[in-house]
Amino acid sequence: MRTLTDEEKTKVDNKSLYIKQKAKLLYTFKSYAEELAYAGNDYDKGFIIEKREKLALQIKDLGAKIREIEAIEAEV
């Protein structure tokens, strides 16, 4: 059993915040799928796809942070 560093403690404390942010971003990501279905032209579709790609990266980063926190919690 080991003790947590200050950085790790902060991450563990913010886990619920990261989960909420991820859920919010996932909701937004899914809402863009509906907009994409009704996009009238290629410009609009490209713009929506670009926004979805940015959200996907943010969601992936948050997922990695959450998995890292869960690994830290498992070690303690």
Side-chain angles (χ1 to χ4, degrees):
M1 187 166 184
R2 69 180 184 93
T3 58
L4 298 177
T5 64
D6 290 338
E7 181 182 344
E8 290 173 334
K9 287 178 186 176
T10 304
K11 286 181 181 181
V12 170
D13 292 342
N14 290 331
K15 180 181 176 183
S16 63
L17 175 66
Y18 295 145
I19 291 171
K20 288 177 186 176
Q21 286 177 337
K22 183 180 174 187
K24 191 174 187 180
L25 291 174
L26 279 170
Y27 178 80
T28 305
F29 182 83
K30 290 176 183 178
S31 72
Y32 285 145
E34 186 176 321
E35 288 183 31
L36 189 59
Y38 294 109
N41 56 38
D42 289 340
Y43 177 78
D44 291 338
K45 287 180 184 179
F47 184 69
I48 294 169
I49 289 170
E50 185 178 313
K51 290 194 310 188
R52 282 178 55 112
E53 288 172 352
K54 288 180 184 178
L55 282 174
L57 287 175
Q58 291 175 338
I59 292 166
K60 186 176 180 180
D61 289 341
L62 283 171
K65 282 183 183 180
I66 293 167
R67 284 188 299 278
E68 179 184 346
I69 292 169
E70 289 172 348
I72 291 169
E73 290 174 334
E75 291 176 2
V76 175

